[in-house]
Amino acid sequence: MATQKTTKKEKTLKEKKEIRWIQNVCTTMKNETVQFVAGLLCVMLALYMILAFSSFVLNGGADQSALERQGVTEAVANAASSEVANATGRSGAHIAQTLINGCFGISAYSIAVFLLVLGLNLMRTYKFNLKHWGICCATILVWGSLFLSITVDRWFPESGVYWGGYHGHNVVEYLNEQFGVPGIVIILVVVAILFSMYLTNSTIELVRKLLHPKSLLPGKDEEENVTFQSPAEDGPDVRDEETDLAAMTQSAEIKWDDLGSMTDDVLPGDMDLEIVAPIAEDKNDDAVECEEKTEETPNTDFVIEVNEEEEAKKIVEPYNPRLDLSRYKFPTIALLDKNNEEALLVDREEQNANKDRIIQALRNFGIEISSIKATVGPTITLYEITPAPGVRISKIKNLEDDIALSLSALSTRIIAPMPGKGTIGIEIPNAKSQIVSMYSIISSRKFQECSYELPVAIGKTITNEIFMFDLSKMPHLLVAGATGQGKSVGLNAIVTSLLYKKHPAELKFVIVDPKKVEFSVYAPIEKHYLAKLPDGEDAIITDVTKVVQTLKSICVEMDTRYDLLKAAGVRNLREYNERFINRTLNPEKGHKYLPYIVVIVDEFGDLIITAGNDVIVPITRIAQLARAVGIHMIIATQRPAANIIVGSIRANFPARIAFRVSSMVESRIILDRPGANQLIGKGDMLFLQGNDPVRVQCAFVDTPEVERICNFISEQQGYPTAFYLPEYVDDNASDGNNLDDVDLKRLDPMFEDAARLVVAHQSGSTSLIQRKFSIGYNRAGRIMDQLEKAGVVGPVDGSKPRQVLCSDEMELEMKLNSLNS
């Protein structure tokens, strides 16, 4: 028994030593210096292999006989006594001989490429996805060996280099016995297509185009279009069968004796090819044939039926909102700076020291814990502790300052308890923080593959995961933070995310910048993404006096969109646009594709001081109602005071972003709880939507990066103008217009329709005319002046709407007749 116990102890000790040895090796390999040296060796080996391979391809025949008689040991031993043509010496020649001729052929280059990528990644010169590169290099290694073996090796059998290697030769021989050469070709093609699908999503569309019959016969479409050309194809009007038949009969009744002097330029444009085509062969006989064809009704009906089918296909083809800017290219990732972002380093010594200090600080107050673990983020490390049974959570929560003192930390934040866990979280700043570049966020697979309507990728969480949200689901966002804590950078990150995902036809920005310098960088993309008033000089609104007019104009746009949604019988913008794209809504009835509108208001506190309630009212209306029609607001302030962020704003902005603020009171105003006052700054933020805030390190996007993105967009074709918002008319403001200047002999074409609208509603409202007829401020104002001069409505009466002087349409018609007489 004693011997057995001794044996078990020895085994246990041996296992522990092995585990400890493995842990030591893993810890050593995570050291930055060790990784750099290992990476440097990989890079040097890769370059040596590339040189050896290249030299072998050029001099392989001369070295092959000498190398095949010796192994590696003999080659090294005889290195001094014999010479080889390979530039890397006998060892390099032997490596090339083994990997190229003896294994995978020329595709062995992919081994050197992967070593090069691995080395650069370990040296942290570049950041590569090793899994992706490994799959690519392995696929090229095997597929290339088989492809070269079945092609080049068969074409050049006497070459000194085996292009596919022994591996390719043996596998091809086996496959040839099983499937034959056609089967091998099919296998290679299928693998190539699958590999291409792994690399890019456009492969599927390319294969579809190659397999589509029309793409193989490019002239077929043109022949069909000419053969069955219909007058209805030249314009939006669609004729019925009788009209088409009459048009074709009339074309057939031409005096064919005079056709000898006619050229192609003067032939009727709507004449069918079945009538025109024979003219080129024989002029005299063709006249008889054409007259016979016009008498045969079945042939004519046949042409009409095909025309109707063509028209039906055109009608059901979905509307493409991007068609106006079909060549628009989204910004590339190369426009963003990588910032030499390093992989996240885990400093074990710092972690262990902090763990010991946390345990000791809690013990000093009589609190014992049963476990502690750490999660490292870009700037913060989260230590999750499990208190011993009987320990009150509130007792730990009150020790924030004491723990910060014991750790000599800038600040600590205690989360008690952690949502969904039976632990308590203690967030402590890292000694060395990591910059989260916008490049790493935009290039991430999570952002590239997301399907949000308005995707915003703003940074990384404490667990180093990409943090994203859909602005259309928020639906409005309130941003606050003290000066210099990252608020402006955060707004730029939001705009940048949207620019990388949304086409100019799908998104417009209304930007209010009282500071005049924060958002001026976006001025070059005015004709692509910005919206403004028709009489506005600059798309970036910097004049505080125009802010109120712009916000009220957005309210008019909101009301107009609700009218369109009501007429379409849908509940939100997404459903409306889907119906419009599917052509179930008639543009002639005022329907159109509606882009999302994102309103960004910076320095909200300054606007409250200068405009007061005039700003609060339209913003509250937009926040309460605009979600369904695709209008979303982002307001930012560096003064989250109670008189700035009033109750109506807080109630209608459920999504909040808080950067560091100076006091707990300001934190409670922005987040309804403390926490923002405990952040460390430099982009450290809390995102709140719902019950519990999420701590995020905001991505850093510098001004030169934004300038490059905007210049890239502005250099492409844009719309003729910015997206015009409807002009707002203040019905209660008396502008002092002189009605003597109104000429009733030159009435607006919409005068009578506007008069009937006003009488039907019994309300003289300029905004009503503006909204119903989708016209601008100046024209709506002129129509209202004409209605007043004609006696249809009365003058402005303070805050009351204009009085309608015609009680019914009969009285109105009498006045209209008197004007026309």
Side-chain angles (χ1 to χ4, degrees):
M1 292 293 292
T3 305
Q4 292 180 356
K5 290 182 178 179
T6 304
T7 304
K8 289 182 179 180
K9 288 182 179 179
E10 290 178 353
K11 289 182 178 180
T12 304
L13 291 173
K14 187 176 181 181
E15 291 176 355
K16 288 184 177 179
K17 287 181 179 179
E18 291 178 354
I19 293 173
R20 191 178 297 111
W21 182 80
I22 294 173
Q23 290 177 343
N24 291 335
V25 171
C26 293
T27 303
T28 303
M29 290 303 298
K30 290 179 180 179
N31 183 271
E32 183 178 0
T33 304
V34 174
Q35 289 185 351
F36 184 84
V37 173
L40 182 62
L41 293 176
C42 289
V43 170
M44 294 297 104
L45 178 59
L47 296 176
Y48 181 78
M49 290 174 65
I50 292 173
L51 183 59
F53 291 168
S54 303
S55 184
F56 181 81
V57 172
L58 297 176
N59 306 298
D63 298 338
Q64 187 173 356
S65 58
L67 293 172
E68 288 181 344
R69 294 195 298 267
Q70 302 182 40
V72 179
T73 306
E74 295 175 346
V76 175
N78 299 331
S81 60
S82 62
E83 294 183 358
V84 293
N86 197 296
T88 57
R90 184 172 289 272
S91 298
H94 200 281
I95 293 173
Q97 162 72 11
T98 302
L99 292 178
I100 294 180
N101 279 1
C103 292
F104 299 101
I106 296 300
S107 58
Y109 271 99
S110 60
I111 299 175
V113 171
F114 182 74
L115 282 175
L116 182 63
V117 169
L118 176 63
L120 294 174
N121 198 72
L122 289 173
M123 295 173 68
R124 299 177 186 174
T125 306
Y126 297 94
K127 189 174 183 180
F128 296 103
N129 186 338
L130 293 181
K131 179 181 177 182
H132 174 76
W133 277 91
I135 293 174
C136 293
C137 290
T139 304
I140 294 173
L141 184 70
V142 177
W143 187 90
S145 175
L146 301 181
F147 176 77
L148 293 173
S149 181
I150 198 174
T151 54
V152 182
D153 279 347
R154 297 195 175 196
W155 298 336
F156 305 101
E158 303 300 328
S159 173
V161 176
Y162 300 153
W163 297 91
Y166 285 156
H167 165 268
H169 174 76
N170 294 333
V171 175
V172 166
E173 289 296 324
Y174 172 77
L175 294 177
N176 191 23
E177 294 177 1
Q178 299 295 324
F179 308 105
V181 175
I184 298 175
V185 173
I186 292 174
I187 293 173
L188 290 177
V189 171
V190 170
V191 173
I193 292 175
L194 294 176
F195 180 59
S196 181
M197 289 171 59
Y198 172 76
L199 293 178
T200 173
N201 294 330
S202 61
T203 303
I204 298 176
E205 189 64 26
L206 178 61
V207 173
R208 286 173 179 168
K209 290 181 180 179
L210 291 176
L211 297 178
H212 198 281
K214 290 186 178 181
S215 65
L216 300 177
L217 299 172
K220 186 175 180 181
D221 292 344
E222 297 177 3
E223 293 175 2
E224 292 180 353
N225 291 338
V226 176
T227 303
F228 303 107
Q229 184 176 359
S230 167
E233 295 179 1
D234 296 332
D237 298 332
V238 180
R239 302 183 183 180
D240 55 17
E241 294 184 5
E242 296 180 359
T243 307
D244 289 334
L245 183 59
M248 295 184 63
T249 305
Q250 183 179 1
S251 299
E253 292 176 355
I254 298 175
K255 293 182 179 180
W256 297 100
D257 295 335
D258 299 331
L259 287 176
S261 60
M262 295 178 67
T263 63
D264 294 337
D265 293 333
V266 299
L267 288 176
D270 54 358
M271 184 182 296
D272 200 279
L273 185 61
E274 292 186 1
I275 298 174
V276 177
I279 295 174
E281 299 176 0
D282 193 280
K283 300 174 185 175
N284 297 325
D285 296 335
D286 294 348
V288 178
E289 292 178 9
C290 293
E291 290 175 359
E292 292 176 357
K293 286 187 179 181
T294 56
E295 294 175 359
E296 295 177 0
T297 306
N299 288 342
T300 304
D301 292 340
F302 173 73
V303 174
I304 293 173
E305 289 176 2
V306 176
N307 287 335
E308 289 178 349
E309 291 178 2
E310 293 293 326
E311 287 299 326
K313 290 180 181 178
K314 288 188 176 183
I315 291 175
V316 300
E317 182 181 355
Y319 170 76
N320 182 10
R322 300 184 177 185
L323 192 60
D324 290 339
L325 299 182
S326 58
R327 296 185 179 180
Y328 175 81
K329 295 181 179 180
F330 287 91
T332 61
I333 302 177
L335 298 172
L336 298 171
D337 294 333
K338 293 185 179 180
N339 291 332
N340 296 324
E341 184 177 351
E342 301 179 353
L344 190 63
L345 296 177
V346 179
D347 192 334
R348 297 291 181 184
E349 295 182 0
E350 179 186 351
Q351 281 191 24
N352 293 331
N354 285 340
K355 287 180 181 179
D356 294 338
R357 290 172 183 171
I358 291 173
I359 294 172
Q360 186 60 42
L362 294 175
R363 282 178 179 172
N364 291 339
F365 293 91
I367 299 174
E368 294 292 334
I369 60 176
S370 57
S371 66
I372 182 171
K373 65 176 181 179
T375 303
V376 182
T379 57
I380 299 293
T381 298
L382 172 64
Y383 295 89
E384 295 184 52
I385 63 174
T386 305
V391 176
R392 298 173 65 89
I393 294 179
S394 59
K395 191 174 182 181
I396 299 177
K397 201 169 183 179
N398 294 330
L399 297 177
E400 284 181 343
D401 296 335
D402 298 283
I403 294 175
L405 179 62
S406 63
L407 296 175
S408 301
L410 180 64
S411 65
T412 61
R413 178 171 171 262
I414 294 181
I415 309 171
M418 291 285 293
K421 300 180 181 180
T423 59
I424 295 175
I426 302 177
E427 295 176 346
I428 298 176
N430 296 336
K432 183 180 180 182
S433 61
Q434 177 196 20
I435 296 177
V436 177
S437 67
M438 200 66 195
Y439 177 90
S440 65
I441 303 297
I442 298 297
S443 61
S444 66
R445 176 171 292 183
K446 183 175 182 180
F447 180 79
Q448 295 293 333
E449 297 179 355
C450 77
S451 58
Y452 293 161
E453 286 294 311
L454 294 176
V456 175
I458 199 168
K460 291 185 178 181
T461 64
I462 201 170
T463 57
N464 219 40
E465 297 178 354
I466 305 296
F467 183 79
M468 292 183 59
F469 61 86
D470 188 353
L471 183 60
S472 65
K473 301 291 181 62
M474 294 297 101
H476 310 291
L477 183 62
L478 178 61
V479 182
T483 303
Q485 302 304 316
K487 176 171 56 65
S488 297
V489 174
L491 293 176
N492 284 329
I494 293 173
V495 176
T496 301
S497 300
L498 295 173
L499 292 179
Y500 267 91
K501 270 294 186 179
K502 304 303 290 185
H503 190 271
E506 302 165 343
L507 174 66
K508 302 298 176 183
F509 291 98
V510 176
I511 300 179
V512 178
D513 181 19
K515 288 167 62 173
K516 303 182 180 181
V517 294
E518 291 291 344
F519 293 96
S520 58
V521 67
Y522 296 105
I525 62 174
E526 174 181 338
K527 295 183 179 180
H528 295 81
Y529 282 100
L530 300 187
K532 67 176 184 178
L533 294 172
D535 59 346
E537 296 180 0
D538 299 323
I540 309 296
I541 305 168
T542 57
D543 188 356
V544 178
T545 59
K546 292 186 178 181
V547 173
V548 177
Q549 184 181 0
T550 302
L551 293 174
K552 291 183 178 180
S553 173
I554 296 172
C555 291
V556 175
E557 174 72 15
M558 178 182 69
D559 295 334
T560 303
R561 291 188 172 201
Y562 266 113
D563 291 339
L564 293 175
L565 264 63
K566 179 182 177 182
V570 296
R571 300 180 60 184
N572 55 58
L573 182 78
R574 186 172 184 177
E575 295 177 3
Y576 178 87
N577 282 338
E578 285 179 357
R579 293 195 61 183
F580 188 83
I581 289 174
N582 294 328
R583 298 188 183 274
T584 59
L585 299 177
N586 189 354
E588 294 182 357
K589 295 183 179 180
H591 293 291
K592 57 185 176 181
Y593 183 85
L594 301 177
Y596 283 96
I597 298 178
V598 176
V599 184
I600 301 176
V601 180
D602 195 16
E603 299 300 334
F604 181 65
D606 183 65
L607 292 180
I608 295 296
I609 294 174
T610 55
N613 195 55
D614 292 339
V615 171
I616 294 291
V617 172
I619 286 180
T620 303
R621 279 206 70 211
I622 294 170
Q624 289 175 341
L625 301 174
R627 172 181 182 174
V629 293
I631 301 176
H632 306 278
M633 290 202 70
I634 302 173
I635 62 175
T637 180
Q638 60 181 345
R639 295 180 54 212
N643 61 336
I644 301 297
I645 305 177
V646 296
S648 59
I649 298 296
R650 295 170 64 185
N652 292 289
F653 282 77
R656 321 273 180 83
I657 289 179
F659 293 90
R660 186 181 182 184
V661 294
S662 58
S663 67
M664 185 185 296
V665 175
E666 293 180 340
S667 177
R668 290 186 181 277
I669 291 173
I670 184 67
L671 294 176
D672 299 323
R673 69 196 71 199
N677 56 309
Q678 298 168 323
L679 300 175
I680 63 173
K682 297 182 180 179
D684 189 19
M685 55 172 262
L686 290 173
F687 177 85
L688 176 66
Q689 188 196 17
N691 296 327
D692 301 300
V694 180
R695 194 163 187 174
V696 179
Q697 177 61 37
C698 183
F700 178 74
V701 53
D702 205 358
T703 302
E705 297 176 78
V706 180
E707 289 177 347
R708 289 196 294 269
I709 294 171
C710 293
N711 291 334
F712 178 86
I713 296 173
S714 65
E715 290 172 358
Q716 303 182 56
Q717 179 186 357
Y719 295 102
T721 63
F723 181 85
Y724 283 149
L725 297 170
E727 295 189 65
Y728 172 76
V729 179
D730 190 353
D731 297 326
N732 298 326
S734 177
D735 54 5
N737 285 339
N738 187 1
L739 295 181
D740 294 336
D741 297 333
V742 178
D743 186 2
L744 294 181
K745 294 182 180 179
R746 300 177 60 186
L747 295 175
D748 190 279
M750 287 187 177
F751 173 80
E752 293 187 3
D753 293 332
R756 293 186 178 93
L757 176 69
V758 169
V759 172
H761 286 78
Q762 284 296 303
S763 175
S765 171
T766 311
S767 59
L768 175 65
I769 298 174
Q770 183 180 356
R771 186 169 66 251
K772 290 295 183 181
F773 296 110
S774 299
I775 59 178
Y777 165 77
N778 295 328
R779 188 176 182 184
R782 286 195 300 269
I783 293 175
M784 185 56 68
D785 291 339
Q786 291 170 1
L787 290 173
E788 183 181 352
K789 183 68 177 288
V792 178
V793 298
V796 175
D797 186 15
S799 60
K800 299 178 181 180
R802 291 174 182 255
Q803 181 183 2
V804 180
L805 303 180
C806 296
S807 58
D808 53 27
E809 290 190 8
M810 184 178 296
E811 186 178 353
L812 174 63
E813 291 299 329
M814 292 175 62
K815 288 195 176 184
L816 294 178
N817 291 334
S818 64
L819 289 174
N820 295 329
S821 60

